[in-house]
Amino acid sequence: MSKKIMFKTEWLFYYTLAGVIRFLLMKPRYQEIISDRVEVSTSLNSWKRVTEGVHLRNFGIDPYSGDLFHETPLCLEAFSLMQKFLNDTFLKLFFIFTDFTTAWLIAATAKNYFTEVVKREKEEIKINKIEKNRQYPILPERPSMPHVAAVYLLNPFIILNCVGLTTTVFTNFLFSLALYSMIKRSIFFSCLTISILTLQGLYPATLMVPATIYILRDKNENEKFISIMKIIFIFFTILSLLFYISYIIVGSFSFIENTIGFILTVPDLRPNIGLYWYFFTEMFEHFRWLFIASFQINVNLLYVVPLALKLRRDPMLLAFSYLAIAAIFKSYPSIGDVGFYMSLLPLWKHLFQHMQQVFIVGCFMLFCTAFAPTVWHLWIFSRSANANFYFGVTLAFAIAQIFLLTDILFASVKREFAMRHGLHLEINGEKAKLLLE
């Protein structure tokens, strides 16, 4: 069997398997249970809220007048058309198809990214190879595109996210399109996708930093300033245009309070996998705005500049870091957000040999994923536990994600060090070790 036939067979197998799993789980008795899980659906991505918002609009009621609908007017228009022209079966197929497209975009991004990594490391070795007997890390092999897509398609978090019919399915598609546009140095599509994501969720605005680094990489010094001004102009022009279109759809700017304002002020404190709900439930009211500002600065501003300075040579890893930080610390996270950035891990296959906490993180993830529904049942149904138990699981889940991110970032530092100085460096006749303190 030729490689081309095997390649097509792998694509067909993974897509068929992923499609069958999703479609079987989308039977009403399973789909209803999954869509009601607080780990899957939040106030921002629940399809039930979308349906109710569309119905309110059809009856001439402003969906933003209450505390029910939190999608943007552009999404409201798109979802209205979907519910108008797609029956239940075709709607589910559309969600599955969107997931399939996202998987392909991630695989295509991985293919282009590994080409750049190999080229960069070859140049690094050529520049730093002074001693002939010095050993360098093995150059990364390009991963199989079907295997990269399979990591996304068969990710349990992504499967549940799709089966629950959450709008995070479409958000993940836009994220994958943004990453692909970055790697292709497309100014317009990078600005367009990030603008749509910013209007919808605010936090993705940070992705303009790695997008700008990618676009400036091929420019000479004289062109960089003009390119930066061009990128800023296009981004804010598109974002302003999206706000204006949203205003035309609704007839007012009332949607801002229920979209970006809702994300910033965190009025809905129903439990989710994040850290906000418990913290602000227990807090005295007069401290609320101080800690809201602290939390939002933590996710929006605190890490942007330091990470950009450190990871400027690898803007894709920088984008991954921003996505992971947002998924951990955002106001209303879901497993769909976590599943997306975890599906990008094959892009850093060459860093795995330098990671040290894989086993710990893996155990934490498995434990929290299995234990969260159990504790929820004990708290809500059996009444033999309380909110502290469930928050303990979500806190452990967040810590596991932080361990994962820091392990990858430090692995990147160690590989960069090894590319410059070789795998083994002696100090005073003894092998040196690079340790994280």
Side-chain angles (χ1 to χ4, degrees):
M1 186 180 291
S2 66
K3 289 185 178 180
K4 189 173 183 180
I5 295 175
M6 289 181 64
F7 184 78
K8 291 181 178 179
T9 303
E10 286 182 332
W11 276 113
L12 181 62
F13 172 75
Y14 290 130
Y15 270 75
T16 302
L17 179 61
V20 169
I21 292 173
R22 283 165 169 75
F23 198 75
L24 290 177
L25 288 176
M26 281 181 175
K27 290 182 178 180
R29 57 178 177 174
Y30 301 133
Q31 196 272 330
E32 185 176 352
I33 295 172
I34 293 172
S35 63
D36 287 338
R37 293 299 312 170
V38 294
E39 300 88 359
V40 177
S41 296
T42 68
S43 304
L44 291 179
N45 69 358
S46 171
W47 188 251
K48 289 183 178 180
R49 287 175 177 254
V50 168
T51 303
E52 292 174 3
V54 170
H55 284 312
L56 287 175
R57 187 193 183 201
N58 292 338
F59 282 106
I61 303 172
D62 182 8
Y64 299 103
S65 59
D67 191 28
L68 176 69
F69 187 75
H70 304 290
E71 296 285 350
T72 63
L74 293 173
C75 293
L76 176 63
E77 193 71 25
F79 296 144
S80 297
L81 294 174
M82 288 170 58
Q83 295 195 8
K84 182 178 180 181
F85 293 107
L86 298 177
N87 60 30
D88 187 58
T89 302
F90 280 102
L91 182 66
K92 293 174 180 177
L93 290 174
F94 186 71
F95 272 85
I96 295 173
F97 175 77
T98 304
D99 250 4
F100 284 178
T101 308
T102 303
W104 185 89
L105 286 170
I106 291 175
T109 301
K111 179 181 178 181
N112 287 274
Y113 174 70
F114 264 82
T115 301
E116 291 189 354
V117 169
V118 172
K119 181 180 178 181
R120 184 181 72 233
E121 292 197 350
K122 282 183 177 179
E123 292 176 353
E124 192 77 33
I125 292 175
K126 186 177 180 181
I127 292 172
N128 298 311
K129 196 168 187 178
I130 301 173
E131 300 177 12
K132 293 183 179 179
N133 60 348
R134 183 175 290 176
Q135 295 182 0
Y136 291 90
I138 299 174
L139 292 174
E141 296 181 3
R142 181 185 296 173
S144 169
M145 286 183 65
H147 294 167
V148 175
V151 173
Y152 178 85
L153 292 172
L154 302 179
N155 186 322
F157 292 164
I158 295 299
I159 293 173
L160 293 174
N161 180 61
C162 182
V163 173
L165 300 182
T166 68
T167 58
T168 307
V169 170
F170 305 109
T171 304
N172 288 346
F173 165 74
L174 289 172
F175 274 128
S176 64
L177 185 58
L179 295 178
Y180 184 72
S181 301
M182 286 182 202
I183 204 81
K184 286 294 186 180
R185 275 71 164 177
S186 173
I187 297 178
F188 176 75
F189 283 105
S190 294
C191 292
L192 176 62
T193 50
I194 297 173
S195 297
I196 296 173
L197 288 164
T198 301
L199 181 66
Q200 182 180 7
L202 183 64
Y203 305 119
T206 55
L207 291 179
M208 282 305 301
V209 177
T212 302
I213 295 174
Y214 258 125
I215 293 166
L216 295 181
R217 179 171 284 181
D218 298 330
K219 308 292 183 181
N220 58 45
E221 293 298 326
N222 297 328
E223 296 176 328
K224 284 185 178 180
F225 179 76
I226 297 174
S227 298
I228 292 174
M229 292 297 102
K230 183 179 179 181
I231 293 167
I232 294 173
F233 175 77
I234 293 174
F235 175 71
F236 282 104
T237 300
I238 294 175
L239 189 59
S240 301
L241 185 61
L242 292 175
F243 271 106
Y244 179 68
I245 294 172
S246 299
Y247 171 80
I248 293 175
I249 293 173
V250 180
S252 68
F253 285 108
S254 61
F255 69 91
I256 296 178
E257 183 181 353
N258 267 8
T259 52
I260 294 176
F262 184 80
I263 292 169
L264 285 174
T265 58
V266 202
D268 191 338
L269 298 179
R270 273 172 284 193
N272 53 55
I273 63 170
L275 304 175
Y276 285 67
W277 66 273
Y278 183 86
F279 194 87
F280 289 108
T281 299
E282 299 293 327
M283 183 182 296
F284 292 110
E285 189 62 28
H286 54 277
F287 290 120
R288 178 180 176 83
W289 290 106
L290 171 65
F291 282 94
I292 280 181
S294 301
F295 273 60
Q296 297 295 354
I297 289 172
N298 179 65
V299 63
N300 273 314
L301 301 174
L302 191 61
Y303 308 104
V304 174
V305 174
L307 286 175
L309 293 175
K310 183 59 186 176
L311 301 176
R312 63 189 181 276
R313 288 166 50 85
D314 195 346
M316 188 58 65
L317 182 58
L318 177 62
F320 169 83
S321 302
Y322 289 157
L323 289 172
I325 289 170
I328 298 168
F329 297 113
K330 68 192 296 187
S331 308
Y332 299 98
S334 69
I335 58 174
D337 303 309
V338 177
F340 178 78
Y341 83 78
M342 289 185 67
S343 298
L344 298 176
L345 289 177
L347 275 70
W348 291 278
K349 180 182 176 182
H350 58 292
L351 300 180
F352 290 172
Q353 61 179 316
H354 304 287
M355 295 174 66
Q356 296 180 335
Q357 300 172 5
V358 176
F359 179 74
I360 296 174
V361 171
C363 290
F364 261 72
M365 288 286 185
L366 288 174
F367 170 81
C368 295
T369 303
F371 207 54
T374 305
V375 175
W376 178 265
H377 181 83
L378 293 175
W379 174 26
I380 301 299
F381 298 101
S382 299
R383 303 295 178 89
S384 57
N386 55 40
N388 297 322
F389 288 75
Y390 190 76
F391 178 69
V393 176
T394 61
L395 183 61
F397 191 61
I399 292 172
Q401 294 178 75
I402 294 170
F403 274 35
L404 175 63
L405 177 59
T406 55
D407 201 17
I408 290 176
L409 293 180
F410 192 61
S412 173
V413 172
K414 287 194 284 188
R415 186 172 182 88
E416 185 177 343
F417 184 86
M419 296 304 300
R420 292 180 179 179
H421 304 285
L423 285 172
H424 305 294
L425 182 65
E426 291 188 356
I427 299 178
N428 297 328
E430 297 181 359
K431 288 185 178 179
K433 293 183 180 180
L434 188 61
L435 299 176
L436 178 62
E437 297 183 355

